[in-house]
Amino acid sequence: MASCQKEVSNFLSQINAKKHLNIFLEVFENEAIENAIRIDAKIKTGTQGKLAGMVIALKDNICYAHHKVSASSKILEHFESVYSSTAVERLLAEDAIIIGRVNCDEFAMGSSNENSAYGPVLNPLDETLVPGGSSGGSAAAVAAGVCHVALGSDTGGSIRQPASFCGVIGLRPSYGRISRYGLLAFASSMDQIGTITHNIEDAALLLEVMSGKDEFDSTVSSKPVPEYSKLLSQDHGFKIATLDDCIFHDGVDIEIRERFKTIISELESHGNTLVSESFPYLDYMIPSYAILAMAEASSNLSRFAGMTYGYRSKHAENLETTITASRTEGFGEEVKRRIMLGTFVLSEGYYDAYYSKAQKVRNVIKKYTDKLLEANDFLLLPVSPSTAFKLHANTKDPIAMYLADIFTIQSALAGVPSISLPLGWHSNGMPFGIQIISRMFEEEKLLAFSEYLMDKFSRK
Ligand code: GLN
């Protein structure tokens, strides 16, 4: 087996060769080499952790002590974290190597990685296309082979959609499976840390290391954490509901629809039961998600005021100009749009018309999703209506951009786990994902079924 040191130096030269993709905001070169040498020594004495030598790229909204974390925003440009997120602490304790922090949409708001203050990421499979977002740097890093795996965050699709656009696996765990301590907050009731990997084994291993109770995040479940990586028995014989309103929606690319037909009929002929279910709420997905996510964002981002964190405007003269000028100069356009809309839907007189109504819609969607999952083991649907789109294609039209998330919002609102598997290939040369949703905290079943699907339907 190649030594960790060799692996790391290979990745470092790949990172250098692929600089133009704009994936990394910072590479922890010396530190990664030192850690690799240290872990190689541990391997020699058989004292290494579970993730020994796994090289990880970190989305730039996940804190790593004494390293910068900017959420790809100018407002946190020189900000250094004083503590590590729980997820990172647990990875390091098992001897993972963090190779750098990667680009994303500013504060994880976006679907193309074009909202970064540090420029867009290019899709490594076709450099004229976006990698998806907001974890665009994470998906591109794995697809470009500049690390083994990457961490991302998914609020409404930010792991699964870029995974789909870049042809890699994206897992969004159940809400409350992995601690959010040290994840810069966007919309706290939906934010989740998750993984981008080439294979299910790595996704399972990372999940078992990062999951479980944490005294710093009271929303984390205390449910025991199974050894997911030992439970990938390639199960099948399941009852799978196909969400036909999503799969056969007019807006979905015809080749994506065709691929679903093939997968559905093959799954049926292999002893699985397929039932088609309706999902009558598609029109409500973007509006309800947008209202809730923006409302939460407007509250979460109020802490960036030019006072205690990060950027302070040169024009700051008194309390008011410190706050207004720092925020005006520090935040990008999309973040400002969301703060303003979020403030509006929470304001007196509009709260009931928008925010409470969206909460009610969320409840209906959660109940309906749970009901489907009581009757079926899994739900099957697309990740996104199309393959990766051209750079700048949607930047002037926020609504068109939001529509890229139409199928990923359901599991975010319901809190249930979901995964994007790279099992589709379009004649335009780009991959696309197949999405599976499973019951709350049944990741072991989701991963075992994913392993079966990857084995059966991947391009060999
Ligand atoms: N693309 C979605 C948005 O812009 C989802 C983002 C996310 O999951 N962080 O809100």
Side-chain angles (χ1 to χ4, degrees):
M1 200 186 88
S3 70
C4 298
Q5 194 186 349
K6 219 180 197 152
E7 287 278 278
V8 166
S9 62
N10 282 341
F11 282 135
L12 290 172
S13 49
Q14 282 302 308
I15 290 173
N16 233 338
K18 293 175 182 167
K19 258 198 174 126
H20 64 285
L21 298 175
N22 200 26
I23 293 172
F24 281 85
L25 296 180
E26 191 181 354
V27 183
F28 308 143
E29 191 165 340
N30 294 336
E31 178 191 324
I33 293 172
E34 279 164 25
N35 282 330
I37 294 171
R38 186 176 52 81
I39 292 163
D40 275 332
K42 276 184 151 184
I43 292 175
K44 272 207 184 106
T45 56
T47 53
Q48 77 276 23
K50 265 188 190 180
L51 302 177
M54 193 186 272
V55 177
I56 302 184
L58 210 56
K59 183 175 180 179
D60 189 40
N61 62 352
I62 301 173
C63 296
Y64 179 12
H66 316 304
H67 293 75
K68 284 184 191 157
V69 60
S70 80
S72 288
S73 180
K74 191 176 160 194
I75 213 155
L76 284 177
E77 189 165 5
H78 303 294
F79 179 75
E80 206 176 280
S81 183
V82 290
Y83 65 89
S84 284
S85 58
T86 301
V88 163
E89 290 235 317
R90 291 182 183 175
L91 295 176
L92 293 175
E94 292 295 343
D95 290 333
I97 297 170
I98 296 178
I99 198 156
R101 58 187 175 98
V102 290
N103 209 338
C104 58
D105 282 300
E106 187 178 0
F107 284 100
M109 298 177 190
S111 305
S112 66
N113 215 123
E114 292 167 297
N115 295 336
S116 167
Y118 306 103
V121 173
L122 310 183
N123 190 314
L125 307 178
D126 178 338
E127 296 173 11
T128 67
L129 306 178
V130 302
S134 64
S135 312
S138 305
V142 176
V146 294
C147 58
H148 289 123
V149 298
L151 290 198
S153 66
D154 189 310
T155 304
S158 275
I159 287 177
R160 292 160 288 154
Q161 185 258 22
S164 175
F165 282 12
C166 292
V168 288
I169 297 171
L171 172 67
R172 174 196 165 91
S174 307
Y175 185 79
R177 185 72 294 194
I178 296 176
S179 169
R180 287 179 293 111
Y181 180 70
L183 168 67
L184 301 192
F186 160 18
S188 312
S189 77
M190 290 178 273
D191 293 344
Q192 262 301 286
I193 290 178
T195 56
I196 298 201
T197 60
H198 283 293
N199 57 55
I200 299 295
E201 290 79 1
D202 285 350
L205 205 52
L206 289 165
L207 184 67
E208 74 189 39
V209 168
M210 291 188 287
S211 294
K213 188 153 118 225
D214 179 19
E215 61 172 316
F216 298 117
D217 177 359
S218 61
T219 62
V220 177
S221 166
S222 54
K223 267 190 193 310
V225 179
E227 272 197 283
Y228 298 111
S229 62
K230 303 227 166 84
L231 299 168
L232 302 175
S233 56
Q234 296 213 12
D235 274 350
H236 62 293
F238 288 119
K239 193 166 170 208
I240 303 150
T242 60
L243 299 191
D244 290 356
D245 297 296
C246 304
I247 301 172
F248 302 112
H249 193 281
D250 281 351
V252 174
D253 184 291
I254 187 153
E255 291 188 34
I256 298 182
R257 285 185 259 162
E258 288 304 314
R259 179 63 178 156
F260 270 89
K261 282 190 194 155
T262 311
I263 290 182
I264 290 167
S265 78
E266 285 202 29
L267 280 175
E268 236 165 2
S269 68
H270 281 84
N272 299 285
T273 309
L274 279 281
V275 276
S276 60
E277 294 277 9
S278 66
F279 186 72
Y281 303 113
L282 268 187
D283 289 347
Y284 301 96
M285 305 310 277
I286 308 283
S288 57
Y289 167 78
I291 291 170
L292 296 171
M294 292 179 193
E296 293 186 36
S298 73
S299 161
N300 274 324
L301 271 59
S302 62
R303 59 172 67 97
F304 303 105
M307 307 295 278
T308 34
Y309 306 93
Y311 182 77
R312 175 176 295 177
S313 169
K314 308 245 170 337
H315 309 291
E317 280 163 3
N318 52 35
L319 181 63
E320 196 183 328
T321 54
T322 301
I323 296 173
T324 52
S326 304
R327 286 167 74 81
T328 303
E329 294 162 25
F331 285 135
E333 194 185 332
E334 179 65 18
V335 172
K336 283 185 214 165
R337 176 170 22 247
R338 295 192 189 201
I339 291 173
M340 286 190 279
L341 286 169
T343 309
F344 174 74
V345 299
L346 289 174
S347 61
E348 202 183 334
Y350 295 100
Y351 186 97
D352 283 335
Y354 295 105
Y355 185 72
S356 344
K357 212 179 254 171
Q359 289 283 34
K360 286 180 194 144
V361 174
R362 178 178 193 174
N363 223 354
V364 170
I365 290 165
K366 162 115 190 100
K367 284 212 175 105
Y368 188 79
T369 303
D370 286 345
K371 203 179 89 198
L372 288 178
L373 286 166
E374 263 166 40
N376 301 282
D377 296 299
F378 303 109
L379 313 183
L380 179 70
L381 69 165
V383 178
S384 202
S386 69
T387 54
F389 43 86
K390 290 265 180 222
L391 282 153
H392 313 299
N394 291 331
T395 38
K396 299 235 152 37
D397 185 352
I399 305 289
M401 192 70 98
Y402 299 160
L403 276 170
D405 308 320
I406 184 145
F407 303 130
T408 47
I409 289 169
Q410 181 188 1
S411 82
L413 290 176
V416 293
S418 47
I419 196 164
S420 168
L421 301 172
L423 298 176
W425 299 272
H426 198 278
S427 60
N428 64 16
M430 293 307 287
F432 56 89
I434 303 290
Q435 186 177 193
I436 315 286
I437 297 180
S438 81
R439 282 179 212 129
M440 199 76 185
F441 298 116
E442 287 198 356
E443 278 89 350
E444 66 273 33
K445 220 163 128 183
L446 177 65
L447 290 166
F449 184 53
S450 298
E451 178 80 345
Y452 164 75
L453 293 172
M454 288 297 290
D455 188 52
K456 196 151 176 23
F457 296 107
S458 300
R459 259 188 189 163
K460 297 276 159 30

